[in-house]
Amino acid sequence: YEGWYCTAEECFVPESQVAERRDAEGRLRAVCAESGHQVHWTKEENYMFRLSAFQEPLQKWLRDNPRAVSPDPFYQRVLRWLEEDLPDLSVSRERSRLQWGIPVPSDSTQTIYVWVDALVNYLSVVGYPETHDEWWPAVHHVVGKDILKFHAVYWPALLMAAGLAPPERILVHSHWTVRGQKMSKSLGNVVDPFACVGQFTADGFRINPSNTYPRFSESCFPKVLDYREGKGTGRASAEDYEFVASVASLPLQVAGYFEDFQIYKALECIALCVRQTNGFFQRHRPWKLDRKDPAEQLWLDTIIHVTLECLRVYGTLLQPVIPHTAEKLLARLAVEPEERGLSSLTFLPRYDGKPCPFEGRQLGPDTGVLFHRLEKPVQHQTETKKL
């Protein structure tokens, strides 16, 4: 076997991903185009897996399962790979070059190629060969685009050779980049998560001195049959009805995106509703209302009730994404653990004339600010003098 090998990444790099770049001394070096790591031309005598024999089975598997690799551009990329010649795959390295891996059975001069070893962990972690049937093949791999070929070509072929089905889905993502290069621990161009943890925590409740989930008033926010025709009745505006309709449809929309592993789309539609909620709160300025006026108090309570209902929905939907912050928010809203499921999530039941289990409930203990204000970095000015 011969090809470009990247020691830093412990893998052979295809010719198409090799580029020439100058090092610190100005010398041209062959590197992996994506990571910048140096590669070396390597020639070895290794054990090979007859990957070429699985070209047609792999093509049939993908064509029969168009959702097996997603998003679609990566699915199409794998299909194009399978239209080309599939070279047989090296599954071992010379022991003298790779001493810390698993030895090849019956041949101590060879070590199992680390990628084969790593891929097999997907099976061993679910109990292969005794109990893996409880999980396999209903598994979903989430992988970076740079290791797509390993997961969508090599791995399914190895499974087929062992008489096992390929994974149900392979979900592929691209990379965060810094100055055009993939963010990488080995390059050091990463964001330190521990340095960021202390910066992010949601504002406390400032206009609800009773510290309760206030009542909703149907007279202030009466139900309309079609929000698109509503011109605003009671104290609510047409924009308010559109906003409430958006939040009401959000749980089903987010559940669909989560089911399809389109997490970013789920977050985008939640963020849109959060902005609408903020607009609703700012538009009606409850801090300007007079609590001594019974009519004003009804509207004040309704504004806060609708806002807390929105926060309850967002906290519930965001539990898989920001579990710690969602827990703090739901605890502050006095939402019990058994009330935090998606299947039973109903927004603003009082708008539909149904009882709200949270109305009048004492709010939970203060959990602190969820996201504190981020200060702008101090700009250091230098004084220049004329000579």
Side-chain angles (χ1 to χ4, degrees):
Y1 188 89
E2 57 184 316
W4 292 105
Y5 190 78
C6 178
T7 303
E9 299 175 30
E10 294 289 3
C11 69
F12 284 95
V13 179
E15 185 81 37
S16 60
Q17 293 182 22
V18 175
E20 280 193 337
R21 290 183 186 160
R22 295 192 182 276
D23 62 16
E25 286 75 38
R27 293 170 297 189
L28 278 175
R29 300 287 192 189
V31 299
C32 174
E34 190 163 20
S35 68
H37 292 136
Q38 189 171 355
V39 295
H40 302 276
W41 189 260
T42 304
K43 185 175 182 179
E44 297 178 356
E45 185 173 304
N46 300 329
Y47 285 98
M48 306 294 289
F49 171 68
R50 200 173 297 283
L51 182 64
S52 55
F54 292 88
Q55 187 158 6
E56 290 186 10
L58 287 169
Q59 289 174 326
K60 184 179 187 306
W61 163 61
L62 282 175
R63 288 175 179 145
D64 290 348
N65 299 277
R67 284 167 50 86
V69 178
S70 62
D72 186 65
F74 294 109
Y75 172 77
Q76 298 298 334
R77 183 181 300 182
V78 178
L79 282 178
R80 287 194 296 271
W81 284 337
L82 293 174
E83 291 170 359
E84 304 168 357
D85 289 337
L86 276 187
D88 291 339
L89 179 67
S90 172
V91 292
S92 72
R93 303 288 315 283
E94 291 179 358
R95 190 72 176 169
S96 60
R97 296 177 182 268
L98 189 63
Q99 300 176 9
W100 53 266
I102 297 174
V104 170
S106 305
D107 190 345
S108 60
T109 68
Q110 294 277 315
T111 302
I112 297 292
Y113 185 27
V114 291
W115 269 102
V116 177
D117 174 16
L119 290 166
V120 170
N121 279 305
Y122 288 128
L123 277 175
S124 60
V125 76
V126 293
Y128 182 83
E130 288 84 14
T131 58
H132 65 286
D133 287 341
E134 296 178 17
W135 293 89
W136 203 271
V139 294
H140 293 62
H141 295 327
V142 181
V143 303
K145 64 177 184 178
D146 55 337
I147 52 176
L148 175 59
K149 185 171 285 187
F150 289 96
H151 286 80
V153 178
Y154 304 159
W155 178 226
L158 290 167
L159 288 165
M160 290 175 181
L164 296 170
E168 187 173 307
R169 294 195 71 188
I170 301 168
L171 304 146
V172 192
H173 61 81
S174 296
H175 303 300
W176 290 104
T177 59
V178 178
R179 297 183 181 90
Q181 279 192 308
K182 172 188 170 184
M183 194 180 286
S184 163
K185 288 184 292 185
S186 54
L187 292 178
N189 60 347
V190 296
V191 174
D192 181 358
F194 295 104
C196 298
V197 164
Q199 295 187 36
F200 310 102
T201 62
D203 286 338
F205 303 102
R206 301 172 181 169
I207 55 174
N208 184 23
S210 66
N211 203 40
T212 60
Y213 218 96
R215 291 181 58 80
F216 177 89
S217 169
E218 290 90 341
S219 62
C220 293
F221 211 130
K223 183 176 176 61
V224 296
L225 294 178
D226 188 344
Y227 76 88
R228 290 164 293 190
E229 297 177 1
K231 297 180 180 178
T233 54
R235 298 290 293 264
S237 66
E239 198 171 3
D240 298 335
Y241 284 101
E242 183 178 352
F243 143 65
V244 165
S246 295
V247 181
S249 64
L250 188 63
L252 192 60
Q253 192 177 13
V254 168
Y257 285 138
F258 277 171
E259 187 66 29
D260 206 32
F261 286 83
Q262 293 178 306
I263 309 301
Y264 70 101
K265 287 190 176 182
L267 296 180
E268 283 175 353
C269 61
I270 293 173
L272 175 61
C273 285
V274 170
R275 288 194 291 272
Q276 287 183 297
T277 308
N278 188 61
F280 165 77
F281 199 78
Q282 294 286 345
R283 184 162 58 249
H284 295 295
R285 308 202 301 178
W287 57 90
K288 293 284 188 180
L289 298 176
D290 184 3
R291 291 194 190 92
K292 297 177 182 178
D293 183 331
E296 296 280 276
Q297 180 68 56
L298 277 179
W299 180 226
L300 171 62
D301 287 348
T302 301
I303 294 170
I304 296 176
H305 181 99
V306 172
T307 304
L308 296 189
E309 277 289 275
C310 291
L311 291 173
R312 180 175 65 85
V313 169
Y314 306 148
T316 302
L317 296 177
L318 288 169
Q319 287 176 104
V321 183
I322 47 171
H324 179 67
T325 303
E327 155 65 29
K328 290 177 67 176
L329 173 58
L330 294 173
R332 181 68 171 108
L333 295 174
V335 181
E336 299 296 333
E338 63 273 13
E339 298 172 318
R340 300 178 185 181
L342 183 60
S343 59
S344 59
L345 181 58
T346 304
F347 168 65
L348 204 60
R350 290 276 271 116
Y351 178 73
D352 292 309
K354 300 174 182 177
C356 174
F358 304 98
E359 192 171 76
R361 184 183 295 186
Q362 192 73 21
L363 294 178
D366 187 358
T367 56
V369 176
L370 298 184
F371 304 103
H372 66 69
R373 186 185 300 275
L374 297 180
E375 302 296 336
K376 291 183 178 180
V378 178
Q379 298 289 332
H380 295 286
Q381 297 181 348
T382 57
E383 183 179 347
T384 59
K385 296 182 178 179
K386 292 182 179 180
L387 297 177

